[in-house]
Amino acid sequence: MFQFNNGQGGRGIWKPRLWLALAGLAAALIATAPARAEWPERPIDLIVPFPAGSSPDLLARIVSEPLSKALGQPIIVQNKPGAGGNIGTRLAAEAKPDGYTVLFTINGPLTTAPTLYRKTLGYDPFNDLAPVTLVATSPNVLVVPRDLGIKTVEQFVKLAKERPGALNYGSVGPGSASQLAMEMFKGQAGLDIAHIPYPGFPQVISAIISGDIQSSFMVPAIAMPQARNGKATVLAVTSLQRAETLPDIPTMAEQGYPGFEAISWDAILVPAGTPSTVIERLNSELARIISSDKVRQQMAVQYFTPAPSSPEQLTDRMRDEKARWDAVIKKLNLSLD
């Protein structure tokens, strides 16, 4: 028998069977308590704010398959194009921060859109989104229709100056990197070329081929197949040095525009407030996936270089690039509000 003080100077007695009853009650309470679910326990939506077939869409699908296997849940790619990626990015920023909405986007909606759309953007990438990792980087290329019959940037500039206001260029939307690269080029070369926005680069290259537009800065994954089959001409790359994947194409800097740089990059983010454990798991799995030989080879086909990072490194990159493009936007007096 067990004794206890009953608070009145006397002693009481605990029967062994009473202990057993209490132990049984505790076990029952534990068994019926709701179990804490481990993330993820259902499919995850991967928002890509560009159309199917676009460069971000292709890269998103490259990483989504191995990520699905790693997490044990389907990754459902949701294409939400429009406004240079701003519409889909806003949808992700407004989503519930429960780990079941992930954003795969490019630099434009994260770094230049906040300055170009000060009043109407509808989200703040630095406060409404939480960085997970940088995915990959790539130079852009300056593309023109083959029928223009030009081979160099100098020839293109000469043609544009001979026909002021008559040429058009395409981009993936106002405020996108493709638009800003051309506006920077226009400012440096003193060109008068009209802007025509499209939902994505597949539509831009189609317009190049048809002759509806006469130029565009775009990712090489979309441009190079058409250049190889003779339907378009690539004049330059926008990296400061020649790209490893495109060693025969000269840079803008080599052709009279020193310091000209406009790099495309893709990144993964989640709605602000997403649990840190989710972000850490995503970062860890993606770092392994992006660094794998298989994914590296798949990205090389798209002319992208894998570049996994920490969330902090992605934040620093966003801030540095925003500051750089803010200076360009201010100099060109651009606003899309």
Side-chain angles (χ1 to χ4, degrees):
M1 292 188 300
F2 298 85
Q3 292 184 333
F4 71 101
N5 192 317
N6 64 9
Q8 297 177 349
R11 292 186 178 272
I13 298 174
W14 281 100
K15 305 287 188 181
R17 60 176 175 269
L18 183 56
W19 276 103
L20 292 174
L22 291 173
L25 178 61
L29 289 173
I30 293 172
T32 58
R36 184 176 180 179
E38 284 199 24
W39 177 89
E41 58 177 351
R42 56 186 171 85
I44 297 169
D45 287 334
L46 182 62
I47 293 180
V48 179
F50 296 94
S54 63
S55 178
D57 176 72
L58 295 174
L59 291 184
R61 294 178 190 277
I62 286 174
V63 301
S64 65
E65 181 180 355
L67 182 61
S68 174
K69 291 180 181 179
L71 298 179
Q73 291 290 344
I75 306 292
I76 303 172
V77 176
Q78 303 274 7
N79 295 101
K80 303 291 183 180
N86 297 344
I87 290 176
T89 302
R90 184 174 67 246
L91 288 174
E94 293 173 347
K96 187 177 180 180
D98 56 4
Y100 294 98
T101 298
V102 178
L103 173 67
F104 192 109
T105 192
I106 63 174
N107 37 328
L110 303 175
T111 60
T112 58
T115 304
L116 291 164
Y117 297 89
R118 291 183 182 274
K119 300 177 183 178
T120 61
L121 186 60
Y123 66 90
D124 180 344
F126 294 94
N127 291 319
D128 298 333
L129 292 166
V132 175
T133 184
L134 185 68
V135 175
T137 64
S138 173
N140 289 296
V141 291
L142 177 57
V143 189
V144 299
R146 183 186 180 187
D147 292 345
L148 280 185
I150 61 177
K151 302 293 184 181
T152 67
V153 174
E154 181 182 9
Q155 291 173 347
F156 177 77
V157 169
K158 180 181 178 181
L159 176 66
K161 288 188 174 181
E162 289 173 349
R163 301 168 59 186
L167 303 186
N168 301 318
Y169 79 89
S171 81
V172 292
S176 64
S178 55
Q179 189 218 6
L180 285 179
M182 183 61 78
E183 291 297 329
M184 183 166 65
F185 177 39
K186 285 171 56 179
Q188 292 182 7
L191 304 181
D192 180 8
I193 307 175
H195 175 218
I196 300 179
Y198 293 85
F201 283 128
Q203 292 80 6
V204 175
I205 195 64
S206 294
I208 287 273
I209 294 169
S210 67
D212 291 338
I213 59 176
Q214 290 72 47
S215 59
S216 177
F217 282 102
M218 65 172 62
V219 291
I222 302 297
M224 293 311 299
Q226 303 305 327
R228 289 198 180 95
N229 65 25
K231 295 182 179 180
T233 300
V234 174
L235 303 181
V237 295
T238 60
S239 49
L240 293 177
Q241 290 81 34
R242 293 199 182 196
E244 292 182 9
T245 53
L246 298 165
D248 297 330
I249 300 177
T251 66
M252 291 289 293
E254 287 178 73
Q255 299 186 72
Y257 299 89
F260 192 102
E261 182 182 30
I263 301 298
S264 291
W265 47 265
D266 295 77
I268 290 178
L269 304 92
V270 291
T274 298
S276 60
T277 53
V278 171
I279 294 174
E280 290 166 3
R281 174 84 185 278
L282 282 172
N283 180 272
S284 175
E285 298 290 0
L286 286 164
R288 177 183 55 79
I289 290 167
I290 296 168
S291 300
S292 69
D293 290 340
K294 180 179 180 180
V295 168
R296 181 176 292 275
Q297 292 168 4
Q298 290 175 312
M299 287 187 177
V301 173
Q302 304 299 325
Y303 302 94
F304 272 85
T305 301
S309 74
S310 68
E312 294 76 18
Q313 288 170 328
L314 176 54
T315 298
D316 290 342
R317 189 181 190 97
M318 288 169 59
R319 294 194 186 282
D320 290 346
E321 185 153 320
K322 183 179 185 303
R324 184 166 69 87
W325 284 110
D326 277 358
V328 174
I329 293 168
K330 182 177 180 180
K331 183 177 181 179
L332 298 175
N333 195 28
L334 295 176
S335 176
L336 298 174
D337 279 323

